[in-house]
Amino acid sequence: MERIPPWPGRAGRSYPSSYGRSGEEELFAALDLGTNNCRLMVAAQTTGGFRVVDSYSRMVKLGEGLHHTGRLAGPAMERTLDALRICAERVGRRPLKAIRAVATEACRRAENGADFLRRAKAETGFDISIISGREEAGLAVESCASLIHSSRFGAPRNRALLFDIGGGSTEIAWVRVDPFRQTRDLIGYLSLPVGVITLSEQFGHVSPHDPASYAHMVAYTKQALHEFEAIHRIGPEIRRQQTRLIGTSGTVTTLASLVLGLPRYARAAVDGTQLPSVSARKAVRMLHEMGRAGIEAHPCIGPDRATFVLPGCAIFEAIHDMWPIEDIIVADRGLRDGMVLRMIRKAGPTPRHYHRPSVLGPIPFQHSIQATGS
């Protein structure tokens, strides 16, 4: 893994830290620029993990139109730069030990992805690196390590299958687990170029609320999984009851919130729950019955995410059709969590020192924290 530099920011304007430094906590920041969302997390190292100090998420739809043009569109890039400026201001107010920023499928696929990231660095100070599908899967596994090994979910298993349904791709990780040493190794991964944005654009001429069209989405996605199954023979491990299934995505957390009957989304109520597959399937049927208006009005979804809910469910059902594990462990955690854990491990028990970041202004606007499960 490459060296993780301290946050350099941009010269010319600095902010005093608004974070209380009692206890000399070491802070780490992680930024995940995805196809659909821009997410930031600032966390303080604790014994055995970390505590979230600040969290920000905005739906920017960076990959909007990418399926048809192969390029990032102007309005999408402007929305994303607006969100990155807000993120730059937030990290610029804190003394960070280290920061890492990554971009995923949209920038991997787009002809102008690297050009956009150079512009983002010039305008916001973030040095964003495009990571491979393998590293994306590895970070997802890192973020869910405690769930993979948790005794709360029954007897130990020697395999874990993790899926992360994103905006532009779906990452699947097949993991060998040693429950006694509490270790895990990535046996294989699949970066499937099917996400909630790409699927909705690819099938844009049909309505996912139409049963036949929805079934077509499921079949299309499932077909892309056959080769991975043929290589790794996951089915026999499932039949021997040796596999845990872990889902980390807005789709899975939404299904869990519906099953739990939450009046509004609450990460604490969802993360780390065990969702029976029968209940998850019923929640999908519930979404179909709601229709577009009902999905938009639901407090755990809202109008911004309504377009992508059923395409996400189609991907989920394809995965579960292929690998029908009885229960799904739900994880409201992702690349940011994995990056923070890696930075903490890399930092080790070193003497505490701080780098005061700075950002170039003026920042034209501010937004309140939006910590979401999407």
Side-chain angles (χ1 to χ4, degrees), residues 239-289:
R239 289 189 287 275
R240 286 194 290 268
Q241 298 186 330
Q242 285 300 319
T243 304
R244 284 183 174 173
L245 181 63
I246 302 173
T248 168
S249 69
T251 296
V252 180
T253 58
T254 296
L255 293 176
S257 67
L258 291 174
V259 171
L260 292 169
L262 300 181
R264 64 183 61 82
Y265 186 82
R267 181 187 185 277
V270 170
D271 181 60
T273 58
Q274 195 166 24
L275 177 63
S277 60
V278 172
S279 299
R281 298 279 192 162
K282 287 181 179 178
V284 173
R285 304 285 84 79
M286 185 190 307
L287 288 166
H288 281 281
E289 292 167 4

Side-chain angles (χ1 to χ4, degrees), residues 108 124 156 172 192 215 340 342 352:
R108 280 199 296 260
T124 71
I172 296 174
L192 190 67
V340 166
R342 284 188 178 181
R352 288 172 174 153

Side-chain angles (χ1 to χ4, degrees), residues 19 25-30 40-46 49-55 91 94-99 336-337 339-341 343-344 354:
Y19 181 75
E25 291 183 297
E26 294 188 332
L27 300 182
F28 300 83
L40 171 73
M41 176 192 289
V42 180
Q45 182 175 2
T46 62
F50 64 84
R51 175 177 57 83
V52 176
V53 172
D54 193 3
S55 178
V91 299
R94 301 185 184 279
L96 300 178
K97 183 175 179 67
I99 183 169
R336 293 176 301 172
D337 305 71
M339 285 187 281
V340 166
L341 288 169
M343 284 187 283
I344 288 173
Y354 296 90

Side-chain angles (χ1 to χ4, degrees), residues 17 27 47 113 136 146 177 210 220 225 246 255 270 326 342:
S17 173
L27 300 182
T47 303
E136 190 171 351
S146 62
V177 180
D210 174 65
Y220 172 82
L225 303 175
I246 302 173
L255 293 176
V270 170
E326 186 174 346
R342 284 188 178 181

Side-chain angles (χ1 to χ4, degrees), residues 10 41 56 77 85 90 94 118 126 138 157 192 212 224 226 229 261 276 278 287 301 314 317 325 340 353:
R10 299 246 348 249
M41 176 192 289
Y56 173 82
M77 290 189 287
R85 291 185 188 104
R90 295 174 92 108
R94 301 185 184 279
R118 281 191 287 270
F126 283 113
R157 301 286 189 268
L192 190 67
H226 282 290
E229 166 60 24
V278 172
L287 288 166
I301 303 172
E317 292 210 271
I325 298 173
V340 166
H353 57 280

